[in-house]
Amino acid sequence: MQHFYEPHAGHGLKHDPFNAIVGPRPIGWVSSRSTSGVLNLAPYSFFNAFNYVPPVIGFSSIGRKDSLNNIEATGEFVWNLVTRELAEGMNQTCEAVPPEVSEFDLAGLTPAPSRIVGVPRVAQSPVSFECRCTQILQLKDLQGHNIETWMVFGEVVGVHIDQRLLKDGIYDTANAGHILRGGGPADYFSIGPEQLFKMYRPASGARDLPK
């Protein structure tokens, strides 16, 4: 037996399963700055990396949010890694507040200067990517109508990594404390060494991996 539904007609369940199936997903904790200088910090659950060289990341703004407006205006943003220790702070930055309110202040987080872009990173986060926007694409449906969702892509121009997470020159994902967004109204996942297993690609596919 399978549950089948056509999304346009509704899923018929207690909660939409789509983002629970496409998950868990990394969290796009994006800091930006308005043209008037107000700092913004917001988490996005539709986020990922899309290219190695140059490194390109992207997130989806469902609705026109402050992050989207700021990045359109300034062309810059920073992605900050959310760890288990920062989960509550990240959750506080979900709160809907007026554009003149900084989520840094709301969550008691410290803005730290970036090296290249004019947007600060989260000082408490062990990893941050300084980014310059490369594309903003409004999504369309099958009929070609615009959807009120925008994909924001940025090239990573600067990377900050806490030295304790570099073991013999390799980033230690298993012990970094990453958390991931699941589905439902409140599901998150953490990862650790107990989930780690190694599996190398066949030699024919190794050329796709960066050294």
Side-chain angles (χ1 to χ4, degrees):
M1 295 290 291
Q2 286 191 331
H3 177 78
F4 173 80
Y5 69 93
E6 297 178 69
H8 72 87
H11 49 75
L13 300 171
K14 186 175 180 180
H15 199 278
D16 191 339
F18 174 74
N19 60 349
I21 296 167
V22 187
R25 302 176 306 281
I27 300 166
W29 205 18
V30 174
S31 52
S32 61
R33 186 196 297 272
S34 72
T35 53
S36 61
V38 178
L39 300 182
N40 181 269
L41 180 62
Y44 291 87
S45 69
F46 289 141
F47 162 83
N48 222 308
F50 296 98
N51 197 54
Y52 280 130
V53 182
V56 173
I57 62 173
F59 70 93
S60 175
S61 176
I62 300 175
R64 180 163 280 281
K65 309 277 178 62
D66 292 337
S67 303
L68 173 63
N69 293 334
N70 292 346
I71 296 166
E72 275 186 336
T74 68
E76 297 180 332
F77 65 96
V78 176
W79 171 79
N80 305 275
L81 175 67
V82 182
T83 63
R84 186 65 185 87
E85 294 175 348
L86 292 170
E88 293 298 328
M90 178 277 297
N91 197 42
Q92 286 184 303
T93 65
C94 291
E95 189 170 342
V97 294
E100 62 271 16
V101 176
S102 172
E103 290 83 0
F104 277 92
D105 297 334
L106 194 69
L109 296 163
T110 307
S114 292
R115 296 281 192 93
I116 298 172
V117 303
V119 176
R121 53 198 173 87
V122 176
Q124 290 86 346
S125 177
V127 181
S128 297
F129 293 165
E130 300 183 29
C131 301
R132 289 204 167 117
C133 182
T134 56
Q135 290 174 279
I136 297 177
L137 304 175
Q138 186 169 9
L139 302 188
K140 297 179 183 293
D141 62 17
L142 281 172
Q143 289 72 44
H145 302 140
N146 286 337
I147 302 171
E148 289 298 300
T149 297
W150 289 262
M151 278 297 304
V152 179
F153 294 98
E155 181 174 333
V156 179
V157 295
V159 178
H160 301 257
I161 305 173
D162 190 316
Q163 286 282 356
R164 66 184 173 83
L165 297 180
L166 297 174
K167 304 293 175 63
D168 297 323
I170 298 174
Y171 180 75
D172 187 10
T173 306
N175 290 292
H178 291 217
I179 65 169
L180 309 166
R181 184 67 168 99
D187 289 357
Y188 287 84
F189 294 85
S190 58
I191 60 172
E194 60 274 16
Q195 283 89 33
L196 175 63
F197 70 95
K198 294 183 183 290
M199 183 168 58
Y200 295 97
R201 290 189 184 189
S204 60
R207 63 181 180 275
D208 297 327
L209 293 173
K211 300 287 194 239

